[in-house]
C-alpha cells in the first residue's frame, strides 16, 4: 500500500517492552511480516510496534507449541518438522508471522479440511490498550447469558464487553471484523481483530503429526468440469475422514484459463508441465497418503476418469519435495504474473494504479453461480482479469489486470457488485485477507453487517480501547 509514514519503529523483545510502549499513550500499529493485502500493516503516522524480535518457540507438549508473535510460519514449520509435527492452517504466503496470522485469522488452501487459524489457537498472551498483559486460555472467559464478557484488569477494574448481535455467514473461512456468537469465548474476539483490541505477544497453537502428502495437477476443459472434479474429490475426502475410503484430499487450488494465459512459459518449463490448452483451467490438489498405501492413487485415477478427465495428471509423489516445490512455484507464478502486470501499468501508465482484487467466499453449492457472477461483473465493464484461489473452500480471488486508472475504478465497482452477489448467496466478500485500512474493504464490511453491525463493533472497540489508540482506522473509522 503506498503512502505509509510512521512516528517511529520499536522492536520490543518481551511482553513487558510491548506493554511499556502501549502504556506510553501513543497511537500504535503492531506489524508482523507486513504481507497484508489490505493496508492493515501500513502506518498512517502511528508508532510501529514491530514483532520481529518476539521469536521464541517452545514445544509445550506433544501437540502444543508456544510461539512468539514474530515467528515466521516457515520457521515454525521447520522447528516442528524436527519433531515430525506440523501446523496446518498455513496461508499461501508462509513468510507471514504467527501474530499476523492470528490477528487476521489467516487461512490457506487446506481450510476445507483443517479450518482457519482460529481452530488452532489454544492460548494467547495479549497486551491490552492500557498496557496490561492478559494471559488468555481458550475456555477461561465465556460470554454471559446476556451476551457480554466481564474482564477484570490487573488494576481491579472490571470492563463489560458487549458481544455483537449480527449473524456471521456460515462459510469455512471469514476475516471480516469481530467474531460474534452467543456464548462465545473471549479468545475468539481477539483472533481476527486485526490488532484493534490488543497486541498478540505469543500464541499457543495446536499441532498434528506431519502428514505424508502428494500434489496432483489436473487440467480441465471448463470451469464446470473443474467444479465437478472438486465436488467429487470433496465427497471422497469426506468419506475418507469417516474411515470409508482411501482418498484424503486436503486442498484443491484453482487457476482459470485467463490466469494461466498470463503465466510465462519459463514457469511451466521449470515445473516440467506442458502449458494447458487455451480454454483449460488447472486444479492443484493436495492428497494425504498414509505410509504403505497403494489404494489412494488408484482411487484418484478412477475418480478423475469418472469425471471425464482424459489427460494424465502431473503427480509429485510423497517425499519428492523437489517436484512438489516446482508445482507450488507454478501456482505462485500466477499472482506473481498478475502483480508484475499491475506494476508495469503503474510504472508506464499511471502511478496511482493498484492491485484490485476480491477475496470472496460462497457456500460450495453456489460456486458455479459465483464464478459466473465474477466473470459477468468484469466482462460487462470491459475489463481484463484473471481468477484463481482456494476452490475447495469456495474462496476465489478475482483480479483486475488494469490497463488504466479507469480500469481500477471500474474494477472496484465490479468487486462491490460481486460482494452484494455473494452476500445474497450466503457468502462473504472478506474471506481471509481481512479488512485493514482499505476503503473498499471497509465498505464491504458495511455491506455485510450494515451500519448497525459496524456500530456494534465500535462498542466492542470502545470498551477495550476507549482512547482508540490501537491500530486506529483499521476495520472501520472512529465515525463514518
Ligand atoms: C503472496 C501472498 C499470498 C497470500 N495468501 C494468503 C492466504 O492464502 N491466506 C491468507 O489468509 N492470507 C494470505 N495473504 C495475506 C497475508 O499473508 C495474511 O493476512 C497474513 O496473516 C498477514 O501476516 P503478517 O505477519 O504479514 O501480518 P501483517 O501484514 O504485518 O499485519 C496484518 C494485520 O495484523 C495486525 N498485526 C500484525 N501482527 C500483530 C500482532 N502481533 N498483534 C496484533 N495485531 C497484529 C496488523 O496491525 C495488521 O492489521 C497473502 C499475502 C501475500 C502477499
Amino acid at each position: 500500500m503506498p503512502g505509509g509514514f510512521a512516528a517511529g519503529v520499536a522492536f520490543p523483545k518481551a511482553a513487558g517492552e510491548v506493554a511499556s510502549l502501549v502504556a506510553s499513550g501513543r497511537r500504535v500499529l503492531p506489524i508482523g511480516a507486513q504481507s497484508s493485502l489490505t493496508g492493515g500493516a501500513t502506518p498512517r503516522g502511528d508508532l510501529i510496534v514491530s514483532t520481529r524480535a518476539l521469536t521464541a518457540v517452545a514445544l509445550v507438549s506433544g501437540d502444543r507449541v508456544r510461539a512468539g508473535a514474530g515467528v515466521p510460519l516457515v520457521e515454525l514449520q521447520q522447528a516442528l518438522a524436527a519433531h515430525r509435527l506440523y501446523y496446518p492452517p498455513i496461508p499461501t504466503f508462509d513468510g507471514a508471522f504467527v501474530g499476523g496470522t492470528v490477528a487476521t485469522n489467516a487461512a490457506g488452501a487446506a481450510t476445507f479440511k483443517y479450518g482457519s487459524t482460529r481452530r488452532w489457537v489454544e492460548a494467547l498472551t495479549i497486551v491490552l490498550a492500557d498496557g496490561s498483559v492478559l494471559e488468555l486460555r481458550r475456555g477461561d472467559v465465556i460470554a454471559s447469558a446476556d451476551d457480554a464478557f466481564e474482564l477484570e484488569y490487573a488494576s481491579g477494574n472490571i470492563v463489560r464487553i458487549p458481544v455483537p448481535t449480527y449473524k456471521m455467514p456460515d462459510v469455512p473461512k471469514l476475516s471480516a471484523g469481530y467474531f460474534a456468537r452467543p456464548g462465545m469465548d473471549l479468545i475468539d474476539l481477539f483472533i481476527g481483530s486485526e490488532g484493534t483490541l490488543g497486541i498478540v505477544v505469543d500464541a499457543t497453537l495446536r499441532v498434528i503429526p506431519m502428514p505424508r502428502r502428494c500434489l496432483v495437477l489436473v487440467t480441465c476443459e471448463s470451469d464446470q468440469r473443474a467444479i465437478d472434479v472438486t465436488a467429487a474429490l470433496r465427497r471422497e475426502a469426506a468419506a475418507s475422514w469417516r474411515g470409508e475410503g482411501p482418498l484424503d484430499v486436503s486442498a484443491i487450488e484453482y487457476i482459470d484459463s485467463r490466469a494461466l494465459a498470463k503465466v510465462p512459459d519459463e514457469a511451466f518449463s521449470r515445473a516440467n508441465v506442458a502449458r494447458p490448452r487455451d480454454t483449460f483451467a488447472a486444479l492443484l490438489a493436495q492428497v494425504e497418503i498414509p505410509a504403505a498405501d497403494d489404494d489412494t492413487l488408484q482411487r484418484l485415477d478412477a475418480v478423475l476418469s469418472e469425471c471425464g478427465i482424459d489427460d494424465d495428471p502431473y503427480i509429485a509423489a510423497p517425499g519428492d519435495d523437489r517436484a512438489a516445490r516446482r508445482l507450488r512455484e507454478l501456482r505462485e507464478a500466477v499472482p506473481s504474473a498478475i502483480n508484475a502486470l499491475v506494476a508495469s501499468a503503474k510504472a508506464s501508465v499511471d502511478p496511482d494504479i493498484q492491485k484490485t482484487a476480491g477475496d470472496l467466499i460462497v457456500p460450495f453449492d453456489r460456486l458455479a453461480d459465483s464464478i459466473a457472477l465474477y466473470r459477468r461483473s468484469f466482462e460487462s465493464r470491459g475489463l481484463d482479469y484473471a481468477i484463481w484461489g482456494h476452490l475447495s473452500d469456495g474462496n476465489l480471488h478475482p483480479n483486475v489486470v488494469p490497463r488504466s486508472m479507469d480500469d481500477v475504478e471500474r474494477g472496484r465497482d465490479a468487486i462491490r457488485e460481486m460482494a452484494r452477489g455473494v452476500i445474497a448467496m450466503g457468502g462473504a466478500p472478506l474471506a481471509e485477507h481481512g479488512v485493514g485500512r482499505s476503503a473498499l474493504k471497509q465498505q464491504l464490511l458495511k455491506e455485510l453487517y450494515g451500519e448497525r453491525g459496524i456500530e456494534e463493533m465500535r462498542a466492542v472497540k470502545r470498551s477495550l480501547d476507549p482512547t482508540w489508540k490501537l491500530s486506529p482506522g483499521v476495520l472501520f473509522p472512529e465515525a463514518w
Side-chain angles (χ1 to χ4, degrees), residues 184-200:
M184 66 180 277
D185 193 308
L186 183 61
I187 202 166
D188 284 322
L189 191 59
F190 288 99
I191 301 166
S193 66
E194 300 192 35
T196 59
L197 302 179
I199 300 184
V200 176

Side-chain angles (χ1 to χ4, degrees), residues 81-224:
H83 304 274
R84 304 293 306 154
L85 292 170
Y86 180 74
Y87 176 61
I90 287 283
T92 313
F93 177 64
D94 63 5
F97 290 3
V98 165
T101 54
V102 170
T104 55
N105 187 29
T111 311
F112 154 62
K113 177 166 185 188
Y114 293 114
S116 63
T117 299
R118 178 178 312 285
R119 202 199 279 182
W120 299 87
V121 177
E122 277 299 306
L124 293 175
T125 306
I126 306 161
V127 170
L128 298 172
D130 70 338
S132 56
V133 181
L134 177 66
E135 300 274 352
L136 187 61
R137 273 175 314 164
R138 191 169 282 288
D140 274 354
V141 185
I142 303 293
S144 58
D146 64 343
D147 273 330
F149 298 104
E150 291 211 334
L151 181 64
E152 184 168 357
Y153 282 67
S155 62
N157 269 2
I158 296 180
V159 168
R160 185 174 190 281
I161 309 161
V163 175
T165 60
Y166 46 77
K167 189 168 177 333
M168 297 191 307
D170 186 14
V171 282
K173 53 170 88 157
L174 189 67
S175 184
Y178 301 148
F179 184 93
R181 191 167 286 169
M184 66 180 277
D185 193 308
L186 183 61
I187 202 166
D188 284 322
L189 191 59
F190 288 99
I191 301 166
S193 66
E194 300 192 35
T196 59
L197 302 179
I199 300 184
V200 176
V201 176
D202 65 46
T204 302
L205 307 166
R206 285 195 301 119
V207 294
I208 59 170
M210 170 102 63
R212 191 169 167 269
R213 289 173 301 184
C214 78
L215 280 181
V216 182
L217 183 90
V218 181
T219 55
C220 305
E221 71 202 20
S222 64
D223 283 344
Q224 192 53 55

Side-chain angles (χ1 to χ4, degrees), residues 29-41 51 69 90-93 95-109 173 194-196 198-201 331-332 335 339 390 397 432-434 436 471 474:
L29 182 75
I31 60 159
Q34 285 186 300
S35 66
S36 167
L37 298 170
T38 67
T51 53
I90 287 283
T92 313
F93 177 64
F97 290 3
V98 165
T101 54
V102 170
T104 55
N105 187 29
K173 53 170 88 157
E194 300 192 35
T196 59
I199 300 184
V200 176
V201 176
R331 157 68 175 85
E332 283 325 293
N339 291 346
H390 315 299
H397 302 304
E432 56 175 19
H433 296 160
S471 309
V474 170

